[in-house]
Amino acid sequence: MAWARRMHLMKVSLIGTGLTILMGCQTGGSSARSIATEANPDVAFEIEVERCALSRQTLPSQPAVRIFAGETIRFRSEAEATAFDELPGERKRVIAGQQVLARRGVANARCPVTQDPLPIDAEVIRYEGVPLGFTSAEQSMRFQALPTEVQIRMVARHLLRSDGISNDRCPISDLVLLPGSPTLQVADHRIAFADQASLLQYQTMPSPRQNEIAARILMPERGVRNTTCPITRQPIRLDSPVVTIDGRSIALRNVQAARTFNGMPASEQRAMVVDGSF
């Protein structure tokens, strides 16, 4: 299994803005799960681009650095690194753990058993080749003692992601998906459906509606924070322009909406993108 995370983007120039605006280009189960140790890397994983441990925003070329629990932790600025220094030890273990575990390819951020956030020293096992973290060895053992069908339901979203599937709920029925669900290739990504009837329903929809449904699933893969355009109040689309300020991105339904955004005062633009006031 390998993650398919390719994004094809082309710049759209809007006069008078210093912002980055991107346009997305649209293009056309097994029930048995094996568990192995972390030291048996039988699957190649595509690791997400590392982000600031504290703010989760994009790191600069020369990030601020701290060493915690023997690991290098990177921050967007020295101010954020200093804020990290002042946190209680348990909070540091979780914040640093998010970055370090993601760096190692661990698929989950919360323990499947307790739902608590994973610490930097989380117990990691491989389940069908997918690295999964647990808050402790005890929780890992509890998980491994469960019936297979229960295990699968608990970690289904991570197994789907590892198989290159972008959604964990059916876009038609909203049912929780399990590995082996029927899929459809959309814009270089795989979208899964609860059953063949749901997939067929999607395929028989008008193309504009298919586009909106696919965008709701796939645009977050590109770092977009919204599914409804703050200008038009309509759903965003796969080819919607994306505006990025300070590492935060929102999509605008079309070029006309982007031009309206471009004419707004900079303070309103920033509030909309950075603060999410829409």
Side-chain angles (χ1 to χ4, degrees):
M1 296 182 289
W3 283 342
R5 293 288 182 270
R6 300 190 300 274
M7 292 182 293
H8 301 289
L9 301 172
M10 63 180 182
K11 292 185 178 179
V12 175
S13 176
L14 297 184
I15 298 173
T17 181
L19 308 177
T20 301
I21 299 180
L22 302 173
M23 181 80 81
C25 301
Q26 182 181 3
T27 66
S30 168
S31 61
R33 299 285 158 179
S34 60
I35 299 175
T37 64
E38 185 183 13
N40 182 24
D42 55 348
V43 175
F45 288 91
E46 180 180 317
I47 298 176
E48 189 177 315
V49 174
E50 193 163 272
R51 295 179 177 273
C52 172
L54 197 63
S55 69
R56 308 302 299 159
Q57 295 186 36
T58 304
L59 288 170
S61 57
Q62 294 184 321
V65 172
R66 292 292 188 273
I67 303 299
F68 180 78
E71 298 284 350
T72 300
I73 314 300
R74 300 181 178 89
F75 302 86
R76 197 168 64 120
S77 67
E78 184 61 31
E80 287 167 316
T82 301
F84 174 82
D85 292 337
E86 296 172 355
L87 291 173
E90 283 302 308
R91 184 66 181 142
K92 285 182 181 177
R93 291 176 69 234
V94 169
I95 289 174
Q98 287 181 328
Q99 189 178 88
V100 171
L101 294 172
R103 189 184 300 160
R104 293 175 182 170
V106 174
N108 55 316
R110 289 182 174 271
C111 176
V113 178
T114 67
Q115 293 304 307
D116 292 329
L118 297 178
I120 194 168
D121 58 349
E123 178 79 4
V124 178
I125 66 171
R126 282 184 175 264
Y127 186 79
E128 191 65 13
V130 179
L132 295 175
F134 296 82
T135 50
S136 66
E138 178 185 358
Q139 300 306 331
S140 170
M141 291 174 64
R142 285 182 62 190
F143 173 81
Q144 294 181 60
L146 293 171
T148 300
E149 60 271 19
V150 176
Q151 294 176 348
I152 291 172
R153 288 186 177 276
M154 290 175 70
V155 300
R157 72 184 67 180
H158 309 304
L159 300 179
L160 291 165
R161 285 274 169 176
S162 72
D163 204 21
I165 295 170
S166 299
N167 56 314
D168 56 23
R169 285 184 174 271
C170 176
I172 303 300
S173 67
D174 201 40
L175 292 174
V176 175
L177 299 172
L178 295 176
S181 298
T183 64
L184 190 66
Q185 191 82 9
V186 179
D188 282 347
H189 291 258
R190 290 169 65 202
I191 295 177
F193 297 83
D195 48 39
Q196 288 292 342
S198 297
L199 188 153
L200 179 60
Q201 184 177 340
Y202 174 83
Q203 289 180 310
T204 56
M205 287 178 172
S207 294
R209 182 59 184 147
Q210 289 182 1
N211 190 315
E212 292 170 354
I213 290 174
R216 190 175 67 211
I217 296 168
L218 301 181
M219 290 299 269
E221 298 282 325
R222 304 173 185 177
V224 173
R225 305 170 63 200
N226 61 308
T227 56
T228 301
C229 173
I231 304 295
T232 67
R233 303 297 176 181
Q234 295 178 297
I236 62 172
R237 303 183 299 199
L238 290 174
D239 56 354
S240 291
V242 175
V243 181
T244 301
I245 302 177
D246 288 352
R248 298 177 185 258
S249 301
I250 64 169
L252 305 165
R253 182 172 170 87
N254 49 35
V255 172
Q256 183 177 354
R259 286 174 178 155
T260 299
F261 177 90
N262 190 44
M264 295 168 56
S267 59
E268 292 184 22
Q269 292 177 342
R270 184 177 183 82
M272 190 174 287
V273 176
V274 179
D275 301 330
S277 58
F278 51 84

